[in-house]
Amino acid sequence: MTASNSFRWTTAVTSLAFVVAQLDVSIVNIALPEIAKTFKADMSILQWVIDAYALAFAVLMLSAGNLSDLFGAKHVFQWGMFIFCAASVGCGFAGTAGMLIVWRVLQGVGAATMIPSSLAILNQSFAHMPDIRARAVGLWTAGSAILHAISLSVYVAVAGTFVLIALIYLKLKARH
C-alpha cells in the first residue's frame, strides 16, 4: 500500500468512525415517535433511550483512551467498531424498550472506544510526518462537522458505507 493510499484509507476509516459515533448521539431523536409507538413507551423511557448512549459514551471516553495506550489503538478501535456495529444490529432487533436501552448503552461503549483510538491511530500512523498528521486530524475533525451541517438523513448511507469501508480496511491491514 502506498503512502498516499495509507493516508486515504486510515483517514477515511477513522473519520467515518468519528462521524458515526457522534451522529448516533442525536440521530435517535428522529426515530423517537416510532419508538414510542412500537414499544408503547412514555417520555421517561424515551429519555433513557437517548441518555443510555450519551451516558455510556461520555463516562467511558477517557478510560477508553487509556485502553488504547495499554492494548494498542488498532485493537481497541477494532473492538470498538465490533461492539458498536453489533449493538446497532441489536438495537434494530430489540423486542422491548428495555432491550433497546441495553443495546444503546453498548453502542455508547463502542463509540467511546472508537473515538479516542481513532485519533490515536492517526497520531501513530503519521507520527513522523507532522504536516500529514495535521491534515489527517483536520479531516478527521471536519468530517463530523460537515456531516452534521449537511443533514442527519445521510446517516443511513454513511453507516452502511462505514461498515463496508471498515471491513475492507481491516482486511487490507490484516495482509500487512
Side-chain angles (χ1 to χ4, degrees):
M1 188 180 304
T2 67
S4 176
N5 282 340
S6 176
F7 173 81
R8 284 188 195 116
W9 279 106
T10 304
T11 305
V13 170
T14 56
S15 296
L16 282 172
F18 182 47
V19 166
V20 170
Q22 289 292 323
L23 202 52
D24 214 52
V25 172
S26 57
I27 194 70
V28 75
N29 291 315
I30 295 169
L32 284 178
E34 191 59 35
I35 291 169
K37 189 175 8 167
T38 300
F39 298 120
K40 297 175 180 49
D42 61 14
M43 189 58 74
S44 65
I45 297 294
L46 296 177
Q47 191 65 49
W48 271 109
V49 169
I50 295 167
D51 290 346
Y53 178 92
L55 189 60
F57 179 63
V59 167
L60 296 174
M61 193 178 308
L62 288 176
S63 299
N66 288 338
L67 288 176
S68 290
D69 294 339
L70 290 173
F71 300 111
K74 178 183 170 188
H75 295 296
V76 173
F77 182 74
Q78 289 170 333
W79 274 106
M81 283 190 345
F82 175 77
I83 292 167
F84 185 85
C85 291
S88 295
V89 171
C91 286
F93 288 105
T96 65
M99 284 308 301
L100 178 60
I101 292 168
V102 168
W103 287 116
R104 291 283 293 163
V105 168
L106 287 173
Q107 273 186 315
V109 170
T113 57
M114 282 192 310
I115 289 180
S117 59
S118 67
L119 182 57
I121 287 170
L122 289 178
N123 283 322
Q124 291 167 5
S125 296
F126 309 113
H128 301 297
M129 300 172 275
D131 292 343
I132 301 295
R133 183 179 60 223
R135 189 169 151 221
V137 172
L139 290 170
W140 179 82
T141 306
S144 181
I146 290 168
L147 189 62
H148 276 86
I150 294 171
S151 171
L152 291 176
S153 64
V154 232
Y155 178 76
V156 175
V158 170
T161 304
F162 167 74
V163 171
L164 180 63
I165 288 174
L167 291 173
I168 292 169
Y169 172 76
L170 294 175
K171 184 72 172 173
L172 291 173
K173 281 295 203 182
R175 289 184 183 168
H176 296 289

